[in-house]
Each structure stands twice: as C-alpha cells, then as structure tokens.
Amino acid sequence: MKLSWLSVAALGAGAANALDVVTTKGNKFFDSKGNQFFMKGVAYQLTPADPLIDADQCERDASLMKTLGANTIRIYHVDPNADHSKCMATFADAGIYTLIDLDTFDTYILPDDPWWNQTQHDRYAEVMDAFHTYDNVLGFFVGNEIIARANQSQAAPFIKAATRDMKAYRDKKGYRKIPIGYSAADIAELRPMLQNYLTCGGREADNVDFFALNSYEWCDPTTYATSGYANLQKDAENFPVPIFFSETGCNVPGPRLFDDQNAIFGPEMVNDWSGSLVYEWIEEANHYGLISYGPKVEPTATGKNIEGGFTRAGTPTPVSPDFYNLKSKWDTITPTGVRLNDYKPTDLSTRDCPTSTEGGWLVNGNVAIPTVGQTFSGSFKPTPTADPEDTGSAASPSSTNNPAPPNKEIAGMSIGLVGVMLVFTLWL
C-alpha cells in the first residue's frame, strides 16, 4: 500500500536516511558498505525557486528517474527555510542522492568583482543547516562556473575561501563530513589551472573535497580520441580528490546518443572519474531536456507552473529519443570499481599551485586565501605551501578544445546570475 504524505511526514528526515552514506577517500566515493560509488545523474531545477518543496512533483519525477536509472540529482538553488523532508525522503526511497549548491541568487561570488563576506558565509551555512541531516546528501557546491574568462581567474582564491570556511563550519557544528566542492566551466585556458589550484598548497582544510566539471566537448558522433575527453583524462589522472562531470550531454547536432557515457565509465576514464550528471531533466528552449511536462506554450503565456514558454510541473513525459537513448546506455553500464578495504590511494599526485601566465591564469602560485569580509584589491600576497601528506609529482596542465557551452535556461546560470547579483550589491 502506498504511504500517504502524512505518514511520510511523520517519519521525518529519518525516511531520507534509507540510503548508505557516501564519503570520499583519495579520488573516489564509497558508500558505507565499502562499495565504490559512481554517479549516473541529472541536473534538476524546474524553476529558479526550490524544486525540493513540492512533494507530489518530487514523487512523480523520482519514479521516472528511477526508471531512467539515475542515482543522483543536482539542485542549483534551494530555500533553506522551506520543508524538504518529503522530497528528500521520496528521492532516498528511489535510491537517488542529491548534490546541493550552497549559493543563492543574492550570495553568488561575483567573477569580475569578487568578495567573500559574512552575509555570504551565513547564507551558505543556512543551506548546510537545512540539509546536513539527510543521508542522501552526497555533497555541497560552493559555486558553479564562477570563472568563465581568463580575466576572472582572480576569483579563484575567493572560491577557496568559501570552501575553507564551509568545511570549518561543517566541522565546528559536528555535522557529517559531507564533501564540499566546486563545479567549473570547461574553459581550456583555465580549467587545468583551476582544478590544480583548488587542490594545491598542502592544506586539506583549504582545498575542495571534490572537483566537478561542466563539459560539453563530446558531441555525437565522435570518439574518445577526437572529442577532447582524452585531454580531460590526462589532467584528471591520479587527481588527489574525486572528479566527475557535473554537467554533460552536448545536443549538437542531435539526437543525443550519450556515447560519452561509454568513455566515462569505460577503461579509459573509470579509474579516475566518478561518473556524470546529464544536463538536464526538464525540456526548455535550449532543448536539453530529458522530459517535458506538456507542449510548449507562448513565451508570454502566464498561468500556474508556466514560465518562459514551458510548463514546469505535472506528469513528466520522456522526450524521445534522448530519454530512451540515455536509459539504454545506462542499462548496459554497471561499473564496480574497487572495494574500500582494497583501495590504497598511494598513486595520487598532489598538485603544484599554478603560476600566472600572460593573458591567461592570473593567480600566481599559492597566494593567501581571503578572509571573511575581504574584497579583491588587485593582487594577492603569496603564502607558504604546507608539506603535503603525499609528495607525488604534479601533473602538467594541458589545454582542451571546448565548444560553445549550451544556452542554459533556469539552472547552471553563472552569467545570468551576475546580472541578478548586481541588484543585491548594496544590500551585501
């Protein structure tokens, strides 16, 4: 017999604790039974508001996600004051973990004028407070695609400051050590340096617990060698923390075949990558959706659950053939990885802090991380590098060819967020 939502509510957050807690060791995720965990996920943000508060909608979506074979969703924006217990329980019951972005529209780290202040700190902390009790929280992001151009790399120390302070807050509060990381744009001139910078310096308390990449390099039909994935793998080999695709799924020329999943979970990459999240769940004007909630309407149309010309709630209907192509692909992919007790991350390499390059990466070495309340002053002071626990050699960065990223709609919208943030500059 199907549980009523009243019954689910009575179970409280404990109902969302049916899944094994996932932790990190070295560059891999493991569940509490010692099995390596690989993500087969989707980006899930139905509207700019919180998608984890509509219990009925979560139930409909989780059921179809389970059919698809998804085990992870990413949520870009949430309301820390809302009740998420029913949706979190529903997704846990479907075997689905969540990755939650800590920033909100009015607390985003600005790429061209970065700062990290107490208001941002506290708002990030509120999101963590709201979700830390759920065992199916896989991780938190401190930012998404903050850096998209070479002259924005000066924001990197502020990303590291947010990481440091959120990890310190988590530990001070005695919360489970939920991994905290960053989701980066795949910019050839910046990405290798950024992923090294966020894991360099020898101080684990300052560094990300995982690094994620929004990459649209693999556009079917292509191959591992010609897509650019071979270069991504070169930079990820023996990376010191887990690395995965937080967005993927190029739709040019279409339909999407998702052959990149064979590479990500195949022998070329599976030893270093922890899976991928496909962009995205809902069909929008950019045509990246795996499902739709109804036919497209006029962009100016108004009504309940209608925004931007699309219905954003209701019964999810698979978009053909993309939904079925992905389902068929995931049905054939069952990576097993390595057991936790058998895993010895001795081959992982610590990374040297990258030096600045003319017209490219602007942060020179292991600079001092900003403190709360600090804004960018035009330069950074260097700081000594701590002795790392692992003294392996650093991999040299290399560039990859990256096609134009998708014209994103509701989710993953770092450029759009900049405009929104300008409204809040005085308030912060």
Side-chain angles (χ1 to χ4, degrees), residues 83-149:
D83 179 7
H84 306 97
S85 59
K86 296 176 182 178
C87 281
M88 292 298 288
T90 293
F91 283 114
D93 187 57
I96 295 173
Y97 291 87
T98 58
L99 287 160
I100 310 289
D101 283 58
L102 294 176
D103 62 81
T104 59
F105 284 110
D106 55 355
T107 59
Y108 207 76
I109 295 173
L110 291 172
D112 296 313
D113 183 22
W115 66 75
W116 175 243
N117 64 23
Q118 193 65 48
T119 298
Q120 291 168 299
H121 175 284
D122 294 347
R123 294 291 293 278
Y124 281 42
E126 288 176 2
V127 175
M128 187 184 295
D129 291 341
F131 283 92
H132 77 93
T133 60
Y134 300 112
D135 285 352
N136 61 330
V137 171
L138 179 60
F140 292 120
F141 290 104
V142 295
N144 177 70
E145 294 190 0
I146 295 171
I147 298 172
R149 299 192 304 270

Side-chain angles (χ1 to χ4, degrees), residues 131-132 134 137-140 170 175-180 209:
F131 283 92
H132 77 93
Y134 300 112
V137 171
L138 179 60
F140 292 120
R170 176 199 65 191
Y175 294 162
R176 172 170 65 90
K177 286 190 176 294
I178 300 172
I180 296 174
D209 296 322

Side-chain angles (χ1 to χ4, degrees), residues 95 215 244 417:
S215 177
F244 60 91
L417 283 173

Side-chain angles (χ1 to χ4, degrees), residues 244-268:
F244 60 91
F245 292 90
S246 45
E247 289 180 13
T248 189
C250 173
N251 65 356
V252 178
R256 294 190 285 180
L257 305 177
F258 299 105
D259 285 343
D260 65 324
Q261 301 298 297
N262 291 333
I264 294 169
F265 295 102
E268 298 93 346

